[in-house]
Amino acid sequence: MDYRFSKISSSIKKSEIRELLSLTRKPGIISFGGGLPDSKLFPTKEITEITEKVLHTKGYLALQYGPTHGEADMISSLIKFMSDFGEKAEHDEICVTSSSQQGLDLVSRLFIDESTPVIMELPSYLGAIQAFRRDMANMIGVKMDFGGMDIGMLEREIEKLEKKKTPPAFIYTIPDFQNPSGITMTLDRRNELVQFAANRGILIIEDSPYRELSFTGEILPSLWTISGGKGVVLLKTFSKMLFPGMRMGWITAEKEIIDKIIMLKQSVDLCTPSFTQLILSEFISRGNMEETIKKAIELYKPKISMMLSELQKNMPEEVVWSKPGGGMFLWLILPEHIDAKEVFYKAIEKNVAYVTGQPFHCDGSGKNTMRLNYSFPSLEGIEKGIKILSEVIKEFICKK
Ligand SMILES: Cc1ncc(COP(=O)(O)O)c(C=O)c1O
């Protein structure tokens, strides 16, 4: 049959990363590829107890449709959670979502029309690129260094757009322990960015799944906080600091934006499941949340230390990498003439996998980059895998 697919459906591309990762599902592989939390952290016992309690005491709510913006108990728990991490929000500034990917979907639908310019970091989160590409945005990349987005380049790109009378709908950024690079935006740059965007009347979308996973104890103020809650949409999720299986997150923004998000969400899924919201809000109010975050930090800290020390010992000097103070990812930059995809196929032969960096670049650059995940592989896997990867990279450097 000759199906009449929508224009949007033709803007959806197959994910190169998913295809590469499908090659890594062979026994014995050491994978730095995915973005998964270590499942040792999952608090299955506590969730079992809480689930039983929720069904006994609030079954009539848990199995019912709920309000689109979220269950009252959940929103109160989120406000408390945010204040524990130095952030303030009101009830009418929050909408619960089915994790951050839904937050990105809603933001994309709310602000992007065909060819709407949006600004994002080079590299940036692949799921955001996919959502914005689906809505046919004109994605403009701004380079990063190890202190975050290059504000000078941002200003130049925005001036170009303003000259053409096509200002961007928003600046999308992941300031804390970024996916994919592991880079954190410095405090000075956060202040500069918020000031610059406010002066120009440009919205910031702050995507922040990793902020709480700080290995040093240092947590910088969010752009939401620096801006006083004006001109910033903050996307949060429990996927990385707790577990992704419940698909739970939230959007914080001014009421004017939240009201529109709620209307949009009604047409998408009516509401995020009440059942999981009630379980998580109980989990948070029991204090289990802080415990799980603490455990995650304890588990990931030796893993990043191992990765950094093995890189230092084994990588050739032509290779550079980020030194993440938290989160789940490290970014590796090879000499420009080396294609990380060619290295990938060689590494896979030796049972080591990662993801190539190019798909994280909205402008198609970044051929010589790769993302390494350290939250999922074991310590022994990291030690062995980095040695092998270093040997493979050395061969490429010697060859060229
Ligand atoms: C920066 C960023 N935003 C959003 C997401 C989406 O996560 P989820 O939908 O599980 O909340 C991810 C997941 O890897 C991410 O790294």
Side-chain angles (χ1 to χ4, degrees), residues 135-149:
D135 291 334
M136 292 180 267
N138 169 20
M139 287 178 275
I140 296 159
V142 170
K143 289 206 168 75
M144 296 173 84
D145 59 26
F146 290 131
M149 193 186 267

Side-chain angles (χ1 to χ4, degrees), residues 99-101 104 125 172 174 179 207 209-210 237 239-240 247:
S99 275
S100 271
Q101 194 61 37
L104 284 166
Y125 169 55
Y172 169 73
I174 308 155
N179 180 7
D207 192 1
Y210 305 97
T237 174
S239 289
K240 308 298 170 151
R247 313 302 299 132

Side-chain angles (χ1 to χ4, degrees), residues 87-372:
E87 292 175 318
K88 208 171 141 287
E90 304 294 332
H91 272 255
D92 58 8
E93 292 176 322
I94 289 182
C95 178
V96 174
T97 57
S98 302
S99 275
S100 271
Q101 194 61 37
Q102 185 178 58
L104 284 166
D105 171 45
L106 294 172
V107 160
S108 185
R109 291 174 197 245
L110 190 57
F111 292 105
I112 297 176
D113 291 308
E114 194 171 341
S115 305
T116 301
V118 301
I119 303 271
M120 64 201 316
E121 286 148 349
L122 282 174
S124 187
Y125 169 55
L126 187 65
I129 296 178
Q130 283 171 330
F132 304 158
R133 180 176 290 138
R134 176 203 64 196
D135 291 334
M136 292 180 267
N138 169 20
M139 287 178 275
I140 296 159
V142 170
K143 289 206 168 75
M144 296 173 84
D145 59 26
F146 290 131
M149 193 186 267
D150 177 338
I151 306 291
M153 182 172 177
L154 171 72
E155 291 179 9
R156 289 191 295 282
E157 289 300 334
I158 289 188
E159 269 161 25
K160 275 194 242 162
L161 289 170
E162 284 180 346
K163 266 196 198 134
K164 288 194 271 176
K165 304 219 175 324
T166 54
F170 54 74
I171 301 165
Y172 169 73
T173 177
I174 308 155
D176 305 287
F177 318 124
Q178 199 229 32
N179 180 7
S181 69
I183 291 171
T184 293
M185 191 185 287
T186 62
L187 184 57
D188 283 353
R189 278 203 218 172
R190 286 172 196 241
N191 286 321
E192 261 183 272
L193 174 61
V194 168
Q195 193 65 55
F196 171 77
N199 290 345
R200 303 275 173 138
I202 300 170
L203 177 68
I204 297 174
I205 309 292
E206 175 178 22
D207 192 1
S208 173
Y210 305 97
R211 181 168 179 261
E212 295 75 10
L213 291 177
S214 165
F215 306 145
T216 61
E218 184 181 42
I219 297 187
L220 293 177
S222 63
L223 306 180
W224 164 260
T225 295
I226 293 174
S227 71
K230 297 266 173 297
V232 175
V233 172
L234 172 63
L235 306 181
K236 295 292 296 178
T237 174
F238 288 122
S239 289
K240 308 298 170 151
M241 52 182 149
L242 285 186
F243 32 76
M246 280 197 187
R247 313 302 299 132
M248 191 67 68
W250 70 105
I251 301 179
T252 308
E254 285 158 81
K255 183 175 180 309
E256 182 189 349
I257 295 180
I258 287 294
D259 287 347
K260 286 207 181 286
I261 295 267
I262 293 169
M263 283 190 282
L264 252 181
K265 186 173 155 68
Q266 274 164 8
S267 72
V268 173
D269 65 354
L270 300 180
C271 61
T272 295
S274 318
F275 195 10
T276 42
Q277 287 186 63
L278 293 174
I279 294 171
L280 262 187
S281 84
E282 174 74 16
F283 187 81
I284 296 171
S285 49
R286 279 185 179 202
N288 288 141
M289 176 95 190
E290 285 105 85
E291 232 174 84
T292 312
I293 294 174
K294 244 194 238 157
K295 274 194 207 152
I297 293 169
E298 274 164 27
L299 191 64
Y300 298 159
K301 230 166 126 171
K303 293 191 184 195
I304 182 62
S305 300
M306 174 66 83
M307 188 173 269
L308 286 170
S309 84
E310 287 306 311
L311 285 167
Q312 190 61 39
K313 275 191 244 163
N314 298 294
M315 273 293 161
E317 61 182 22
E318 293 88 339
V319 178
V320 289
W321 55 87
S322 60
K323 317 242 167 1
M328 295 185 171
F329 305 106
L330 179 144
W331 190 242
L332 201 102
I333 307 172
L334 302 170
E336 263 182 43
H337 61 274
I338 297 181
D339 183 346
K341 203 161 160 185
E342 285 177 29
V343 180
F344 174 87
Y345 290 113
K346 278 280 164 224
I348 278 288
E349 282 172 19
K350 304 202 162 153
N351 276 348
V352 173
Y354 57 85
V355 290
T356 52
Q358 192 175 22
F360 297 97
H361 292 72
C362 65
D363 64 354
S365 61
K367 259 183 128 164
N368 59 322
T369 59
M370 62 174 78
R371 186 190 75 178
L372 302 180

